[in-house]
Amino acid sequence: MGNNKYKILVIEDEDKIRNFIKMILETNGYQVLTAATCMQGNDMFFSHNPDLIMLDLGLPDQDGSELIKAVRKSAVTPMIVLSARTTEQDKVSALDLGANDYMTKPFGTGELLARIRAALRNSRHSAIMGAVPGGTFAVGDMKIDYDRRMVSIGGRAIKLTQTEYNIVALLSEHAGKVLTYTTILRKVWGASDPGSIKKLQVNMANIRKKLGTRPDEHKYISNELGVGYGMLEDDA
Ligand code: CA
C-alpha cells in the first residue's frame, strides 16, 4: 500500500511554511513533493503528476497564478492556493483561474488537513480515479476496492504502482467502454505529450503481467489495437 499514498505537491518559497506543511502531511500519510519557485513547481507537476497541489501565490520568479493557468490547460488536478493576500478579489481570481480552494496564512493543522481531504473528495480528479467512499468494482475474480486503492484477484492483493492503479481504476469507472489512448493519457498523466503512448503501453504491459493475463488474452481489459483500452463488464 506504501506506493498508493496520495501525492501532494507543495509549492512555497518560505522554508518555514513549506517544512511545516511537509511535516504535517507526511505525518498524516501523504507523500509530499516540494518546490520553492514557480518553475520548479511546473517541472515537478509535469514530471510527477501529483494528486493535489498546494500553491503559494507570491513566488520569487513568477506569480503563482501563472502556474494555475499552466496546470489547468491540461489537467483537473485539485489546487489549493496559500496566500497572505486576503482580498476577495484575490480569492475570486485564483478560483476563476481554476484553483479549488483558498487558504489565508496563517492556518492551523486541522484546517489544512480538512481542506485537503475536501479537495481530494470533491475534485473531479478523485471521482475519475474512483476515490468514491465505500465503492468497489468487480469483473470475474478481479476486484477493486476504491477506498483502499487496492486491486485483488481471487482475494489475493495485486501490487500495482500508483500509476498502474490509476489506469485500472479509470478503466473500471468506464467499464464496457473503450477509452482512447488520448483520453487515458490526459486523465492519468494530466498532459498528453506525444511520447506518452509508449509510456501507457509499458504500464499496460506491466498491469497485464501483474494480473496474470497474456498479451493476446482479453480477460479483464480489452486491447483495441491503435485505439485504446477498455475494462470488461461483468455479465453476471
Ligand atoms: Ca511567498
Side-chain angles (χ1 to χ4, degrees):
M1 296 273 297
N3 53 9
N4 255 346
K5 287 179 181 176
Y6 280 116
K7 207 186 316 177
I8 300 182
L9 171 59
V10 179
I11 309 168
E12 164 66 74
D13 60 320
E14 284 168 69
D15 295 349
K16 241 172 93 181
I17 300 179
R18 194 178 58 241
N19 293 336
F20 166 75
I21 297 174
K22 182 173 156 62
M23 188 194 72
I24 300 296
L25 296 184
E26 284 179 346
T27 305
N28 285 276
Y30 295 101
Q31 188 189 336
V32 182
L33 304 163
T34 58
T37 65
C38 231
M39 193 184 272
Q40 268 179 17
N42 193 72
D43 289 347
M44 295 291 271
F45 171 72
F46 286 102
S47 53
H48 293 275
N49 183 38
D51 296 295
L52 182 142
I53 300 172
M54 305 206 68
L55 169 72
D56 178 31
L57 289 182
L59 293 166
D61 55 339
Q62 259 188 323
D63 196 280
S65 55
E66 295 302 319
L67 189 68
I68 301 179
K69 286 187 225 167
V71 169
R72 274 296 170 265
K73 275 186 194 157
S74 63
V76 296
T77 312
M79 287 183 270
I80 300 176
V81 163
L82 305 168
S83 183
R85 302 172 192 180
T86 52
T87 69
E88 285 297 305
Q89 190 46 51
D90 287 330
K91 296 183 192 182
V92 169
S93 60
L95 296 173
D96 275 350
L97 287 174
N100 298 56
D101 200 356
Y102 193 105
M103 286 178 73
T104 303
K105 297 178 205 171
F107 46 79
T109 306
E111 184 187 1
L112 175 69
L113 294 171
R115 299 243 185 183
I116 287 174
R117 281 194 302 269
L120 288 170
R121 193 168 52 232
N122 296 339
S123 73
R124 200 158 71 82
H125 185 69
S126 66
I128 289 164
M129 295 315 182
V132 180
T136 58
F137 172 90
V139 56
D141 55 356
M142 187 185 85
K143 197 176 157 190
I144 303 174
D145 181 332
Y146 296 126
D147 261 1
R148 300 169 64 196
R149 294 169 66 79
M150 207 180 81
V151 175
S152 59
I153 290 182
R156 184 173 54 90
I158 305 296
K159 278 190 183 158
L160 298 178
T161 65
Q162 174 152 318
T163 300
E164 289 163 2
Y165 172 81
N166 286 343
I167 294 170
V168 172
L170 173 69
L171 294 176
S172 74
E173 297 268 313
H174 302 272
K177 205 175 138 193
V178 174
L179 299 184
T180 63
Y181 298 133
T182 314
T183 299
I184 300 170
L185 290 171
R186 203 176 56 232
K187 292 192 172 169
V188 172
W189 276 276
S192 52
D193 65 287
S196 293
I197 287 181
K198 181 72 193 159
K199 194 161 62 179
L200 173 58
Q201 287 168 335
V202 168
N203 273 278
M204 285 303 306
N206 290 334
I207 290 169
R208 279 175 195 289
K209 222 176 289 167
K210 291 180 183 181
L211 298 182
T213 59
R214 294 192 312 272
D216 59 341
E217 189 185 19
H218 294 198
K219 198 171 175 188
Y220 311 107
I221 296 170
S222 71
N223 179 5
E224 310 295 327
L225 218 59
V227 179
Y229 300 97
M231 180 75 69
L232 304 183
E233 272 181 307
D234 230 345
D235 39 27

